[in-house]
């Protein structure tokens, strides 16, 4: 689903806090992107037309991006409204943390920083426990795996410790690569090897990603031809099989 619509009316929040068993759940298989490139979710949050259809579809996780700093009351209100609207549907938000586009990359006018990410976690509170560090870092910021790993190590353990200081736990994954091509398996493997080494040196579990994520897209040509579409989807299946093998191989023998 590329675009969702939500009612602006927020009901009582009854979603329970997540624990690590979330990674064994099968009811989270149906998810969606919020489908809007702005802080308040635009039509995706504010139009009521699709609310019932979203519920009927069984959407349980919805990915949402933070495009602006939460440094005004208005920005915080928009952000909170979007989160509450997602949760009122019975869905858990997954926040993609800056840098999520080129304007937030290193040296850009609005470059990301750890304080910005901590502010997101602070405002979201225990309403959000699932996060991705960066969005398509190989695309927008042109980071290779080693660069991504270095920023992960500077950021993720600190962010998890900060959430603990606020009284709840968060789970962070990545790298949310722009595509799922065979050559991207090596990129992921390099990142995972770096975090295994960081864990072995420190004994800190928080260096290990809680999940691995990438994106899949059909081109217009593939989407117009059922055979091309099926071959592409099958290639994604092979890709994720190889990613799973890489994960298992990297962390073999570790608890």
């Amino acid at each position: 689903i590329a675009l969702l619509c939500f009612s602006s009316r927020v009901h009582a929040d009854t979603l329970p806090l997540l624990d690590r068993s979330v990674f064994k759940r099968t009811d989270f298989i149906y998810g969606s992107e919020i489908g809007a490139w702005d802080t308040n979710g635009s039509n995706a949050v504010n139009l009521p037309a699709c609310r019932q259809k979203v519920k009927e579809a069984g959407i349980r996780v919805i990915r949402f991006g933070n495009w602006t700093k939460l440094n005004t009351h208005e920005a915080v209100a928009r952000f909170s409204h979007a989160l509450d609207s997602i949760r009122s549907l019975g869905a858990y938000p997954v926040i993609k943390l800056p840098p999520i586009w080129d304007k937030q990359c290193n040296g850009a006018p609005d470059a990301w920083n750890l304080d910005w990410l901590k502010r997101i976690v602070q405002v979201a509170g225990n309403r959000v426990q699932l996060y991705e560090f960066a969005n398509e870092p190989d695309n927008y910021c042109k980071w290779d795996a080693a660069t991504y790993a270095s920023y992960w190590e500077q950021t993720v353990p600190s962010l998890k410790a900060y959430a603990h200081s606020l009284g709840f736990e968060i789970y962070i994954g990545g790298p949310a690569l722009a595509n799922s091509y065979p050559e991207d398996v090596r990129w992921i493997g390099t990142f995972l090897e770096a975090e295994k080494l960081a864990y072995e040196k420190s004994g800190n579990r928080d260096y290990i990603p809680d999940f691995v994520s990438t994106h899949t897209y059909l081109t217009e040509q593939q989407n117009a031809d059922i055979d091309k579409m099926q071959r592409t989807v099958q290639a994604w299946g092979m890709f994720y099989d190889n990613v799973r093998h890489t994960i298992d191989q990297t962390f073999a023998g570790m608890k």
Side-chain angles (χ1 to χ4, degrees), residues 29 82 137 153 178 186 205 224 234:
I29 199 168
E153 291 160 20
R186 179 173 294 183
R205 164 64 179 81
Q234 288 169 352

Side-chain angles (χ1 to χ4, degrees), residues 75-255:
V76 169
R78 286 198 307 266
F79 180 70
S80 293
H81 171 70
L83 295 182
D84 289 338
S85 296
I86 290 170
R87 289 180 61 88
S88 72
L89 288 165
Y92 285 92
V94 180
I95 289 185
K96 48 189 178 183
L97 293 167
I100 56 178
W101 64 331
D102 50 1
K103 292 181 175 59
Q104 296 172 355
C105 294
N106 302 60
D110 202 20
W112 74 285
N113 57 67
L114 180 58
D115 287 341
W116 186 355
L117 307 194
K118 284 183 175 180
R119 176 62 171 158
I120 294 171
V121 171
Q122 179 191 40
V123 174
N126 63 13
R127 291 178 297 178
V128 180
Q129 293 177 271
L130 298 172
Y131 290 88
E132 281 180 310
F133 173 53
N135 172 64
E136 300 190 358
D138 56 327
N139 175 25
Y140 290 107
C141 295
K142 309 302 181 188
W143 290 351
D144 59 21
T147 302
Y148 181 79
S150 69
Y151 287 123
W152 176 280
E153 291 160 20
Q154 295 173 36
T155 303
V156 171
S158 297
L159 208 55
K160 287 191 167 190
Y162 179 67
H164 274 293
S165 75
L166 298 178
F168 56 92
E169 186 170 10
I170 60 175
Y171 306 103
I172 304 179
L177 294 181
N179 286 289
S180 300
Y181 295 144
E183 58 268 26
D184 293 322
V185 176
R186 179 173 294 183
W187 199 109
I188 291 170
T190 300
F191 162 55
L192 295 180
E193 286 285 354
E195 300 326 308
K196 175 186 177 181
L197 181 61
Y199 165 72
E200 290 175 336
K201 288 182 176 179
S202 67
N204 186 350
R205 164 64 179 81
D206 290 344
Y207 282 107
I208 305 297
D210 292 307
F211 58 89
V212 174
S213 58
T214 68
H215 297 166
T216 56
Y217 292 100
L218 290 168
T219 66
E220 290 185 16
Q221 292 78 12
Q222 291 165 341
N223 203 44
D225 185 305
I226 189 65
D227 291 331
K228 292 180 180 178
M229 182 190 305
Q230 289 178 340
R231 286 196 297 271
T232 302
V233 172
Q234 288 169 352
W236 294 338
M238 294 173 61
F239 169 85
Y240 284 113
D241 285 343
N242 289 331
V243 169
R244 168 60 66 188
H245 175 74
T246 299
I247 293 171
D248 291 344
Q249 190 175 50
T250 302
F251 301 111
M254 299 176 67
K255 294 183 179 180

